[in-house]
Amino acid sequence: MEWVTVTHPHHPLHGQRVQLVRVRRGPDPDLIIRMPDGYHGAIAASLTDYAGPADPDLSAVEPPLLSIEGLWQIAQWVRQQKGAHEI
């Protein structure tokens, strides 16, 4: 008997271990699982630990900062837009 854990943070079964009944093949296989109420349901394998450990929590990673060059380009664009509206 094989079990998987639902790892997607927004899935209603997040954190729960469910019994794997069978796998439907595909690019992101569907896992047929036994739901807590005993019925069968399907869930994408990518929402579970079926293929290995879950991706790191992306919300914990700091967003990238703009480069000085990028900020300079934005400032130039704003200056151009302001000048175009004054005519």
Side-chain angles (χ1 to χ4, degrees):
M1 188 173 354
E2 190 173 352
W3 295 79
V4 295
T5 301
V6 179
T7 56
H8 191 277
H10 301 295
H11 193 280
L13 297 176
H14 176 254
Q16 293 187 36
R17 290 189 69 216
V18 291
Q19 183 182 1
L20 179 61
V21 175
R22 72 182 185 91
V23 178
R24 284 193 289 202
R25 300 289 172 200
D28 184 9
D30 285 330
L31 306 180
I32 306 304
I33 59 171
R34 186 175 315 280
M35 304 290 281
D37 61 5
Y39 288 98
H40 290 179
I43 185 171
S46 61
L47 302 181
T48 71
D49 64 353
Y50 176 76
D55 290 336
D57 183 8
L58 298 178
S59 64
V61 177
E62 290 188 32
L65 299 176
L66 287 175
S67 66
I68 294 295
E69 294 82 15
L71 289 173
W72 175 253
Q73 290 174 354
I74 291 171
Q76 294 296 326
W77 182 83
V78 169
R79 187 174 296 128
Q80 289 173 356
Q81 296 302 311
K82 185 176 178 184
H85 288 115
E86 291 179 356
I87 296 176

